[in-house]
Amino acid sequence: MIPALPSSSKQHHDNGGGLPRWLQVLLTEKFYNACIVHEEAKKNEKNVYCLDCCITLCPHCLAPHRSHRLLQIRRYVYHDVIRLDDAAKLIDCTSVQSYTTNSAKVVFIKERAQTRNFRGNSGNSCSTCDRTLQDPYQFCSLSCKINYLIGSRGSLSGYLYECNYLPFNETGFDDGQLTTDSVLEPAGSVWTSSGSGGCVGGVDCKTTLACTATTEIVRKKRSSGSASRPTAQVCRPVHDILVGLPNRRKGTPQRAPLY
């Protein structure tokens, strides 16, 4: 658990085993609640965090804080994430698993609840919560790394960076909602068509080809009127699809009968 901040500690500096105020609030705050001040306005979710004031802001609250250090919080399936580039300016993110979405790397802020034990007999897992990870990562979130450092070293000394300026890119500002349409892939697992696999995000291209070919066959049957009943679109192995494709080779020409 995140240790309580000693009352004598300063707002922006680590004091022994305690956390700086901005980091403690970041790890415990609930984002994306509706802003009470602008409850009648559209897009009033509080998805911006001011490190200087240690409060959450909605887009309509930004004006008085434009000279402050502002951090946009994004969300994927009800979990808060921040850009790795922004997080790396504040804390050492080494060994924290990052993910790629919308051409940018992000990291989870908090530990995610688990309904079962993810640790297996083999493979890599988070040193704090046992969630399965890719090699060579050691932590699944910033919170897990911080808890590990506090428990093993008793301090975050040497892992926090002095960041006096954190620009807020309003031109790239969005609602931060990364829906399920946004592919959130582990960093390093995305392959392009120029690679040996010719796949993206670990998707089996053979399976995709089989599904596409099956769909084409069903479409042709329906257009020709031969399929009177709905045909299920299922995925079959590629070799089965290729065998089932109609033979386009022309037969031997036949002379028309003479009358």
Side-chain angles (χ1 to χ4, degrees):
M1 298 297 294
I2 301 300
L5 183 70
S7 58
S8 60
S9 62
K10 295 182 180 180
Q11 179 175 350
H12 301 294
H13 299 279
D14 182 26
N15 184 6
L19 299 180
R21 176 65 179 167
W22 67 265
L23 182 56
Q24 184 187 39
V25 175
L26 177 65
L27 296 176
T28 56
E29 185 64 76
K30 292 184 178 180
F31 298 97
Y32 283 90
N33 290 331
C35 179
I36 299 178
V37 178
H38 303 98
E39 59 182 353
E40 301 298 330
K42 295 182 179 180
K43 296 184 178 181
N44 63 347
E45 294 86 1
K46 301 170 73 173
N47 60 351
V48 179
Y49 179 60
C50 179
L51 279 77
D52 294 306
C53 301
C54 298
I55 59 175
T56 56
L57 308 169
C58 81
H60 309 286
C61 300
L62 292 179
H65 302 267
R66 294 191 185 277
S67 60
H68 297 175
R69 298 173 298 168
L70 299 176
L71 184 66
Q72 183 178 0
I73 310 298
R74 290 173 168 81
R75 174 161 285 193
Y76 178 78
V77 194
Y78 305 106
H79 294 291
D80 300 327
V81 298
I82 57 178
R83 290 182 180 271
L84 178 60
D85 289 343
D86 293 335
K89 297 175 183 177
L90 302 168
I91 187 172
D92 183 358
C93 298
T94 305
S95 300
V96 178
Q97 179 161 313
S98 60
Y99 297 80
T100 300
T101 178
N102 299 339
S103 302
K105 288 186 177 182
V106 298
V107 291
F108 284 98
I109 299 177
K110 305 172 185 176
E111 175 184 340
R112 290 162 284 165
Q114 301 184 91
T115 56
R116 60 186 177 89
N117 189 2
F118 279 77
R119 179 182 289 276
N121 295 329
S122 61
N124 190 32
S125 60
C126 179
S127 298
T128 301
C129 70
D130 295 338
R131 181 176 292 273
T132 302
L133 300 176
Q134 290 185 331
D135 290 326
Y137 298 112
Q138 187 179 355
F139 308 101
C140 69
S141 65
L142 293 176
S143 176
C144 284
K145 179 170 183 176
I146 291 170
N147 283 331
Y148 178 84
L149 293 174
I150 293 294
S152 60
R153 300 175 182 270
S155 172
L156 295 180
S157 178
Y159 291 91
L160 295 180
Y161 301 141
E162 191 70 27
C163 179
N164 297 320
Y165 178 65
L166 188 63
F168 185 72
N169 185 10
E170 293 206 39
T171 58
F173 180 75
D174 49 51
D175 59 6
Q177 294 285 356
L178 305 178
T179 64
T180 52
D181 293 333
S182 300
V183 180
L184 194 66
E185 297 292 345
S189 68
V190 178
W191 305 308
T192 62
S193 57
S194 60
S196 59
C199 303
V200 177
V203 177
D204 188 346
C205 295
K206 293 183 179 180
T207 302
T208 305
L209 176 62
C211 293
T212 305
T214 306
T215 304
E216 290 297 325
I217 293 175
V218 173
R219 186 180 295 113
K220 289 179 180 179
K221 286 184 178 180
R222 289 180 175 176
S223 62
S224 62
S226 60
S228 58
R229 295 175 299 178
T231 304
Q233 299 184 16
V234 297
C235 294
R236 292 186 291 160
V238 177
H239 61 83
D240 292 343
I241 296 298
L242 297 180
V243 171
L245 289 175
N247 190 355
R248 297 181 178 272
R249 180 178 298 176
K250 294 183 179 180
T252 304
Q254 300 292 332
R255 182 184 295 274
L258 299 176
Y259 296 99

